[in-house]
Amino acid sequence: MKSHATETILPANLRFHLLQPNGLYSPIPFVFVTERMARDIMQERQVILDAQAPSVRTRQEAVFKRFDPDLSVRAFENILGLFGVTRRR
């Protein structure tokens, strides 16, 4: 009988990343990212990284570094500020 104890399985429907033909996941580019979305994106990234082999993980991390959700959060907050909207934290 095969043991599945060492296998890590990704969720069937990732919300913020798309599988590419090269086997890596690319972030879906969002114009507006809320703080909650940024947390969810980072959690999903961790799940993806944990499921990958160490040889692929380094390449995947490089892909993730190209899109920083925190920058998008700040940009979103700045746009809201232009319209006089402030968010409670």
Side-chain angles (χ1 to χ4, degrees):
M1 185 183 304
K2 182 178 178 180
S3 172
H4 296 280
T6 59
E7 291 182 18
T8 305
I9 300 171
L10 288 168
N13 296 314
L14 295 173
R15 295 172 50 206
F16 304 105
H17 299 87
L18 298 172
L19 180 60
Q20 299 301 308
N22 64 2
L24 298 176
Y25 290 85
S26 64
I28 297 172
F30 291 98
V31 175
F32 302 113
V33 175
T34 64
E35 289 178 8
R36 180 176 175 188
M37 280 179 69
R39 282 192 308 272
D40 291 347
I41 289 168
M42 296 308 289
Q43 287 173 351
E44 188 171 284
R45 285 183 180 189
Q46 192 59 53
V47 169
I48 291 169
L49 291 172
D50 290 345
Q52 291 178 323
S55 59
V56 178
R57 186 179 175 121
T58 304
R59 290 179 27 226
Q60 184 65 67
E61 287 172 336
V63 171
F64 286 162
K65 284 182 183 178
R66 289 186 225 145
F67 173 73
D68 182 4
D70 291 329
L71 287 175
S72 296
V73 169
R74 287 194 297 274
F76 179 56
E77 295 292 329
N78 289 338
I79 289 171
L80 290 177
L82 291 174
F83 295 96
V85 176
T86 57
R87 297 173 51 99
R88 293 184 211 145
R89 293 179 187 209

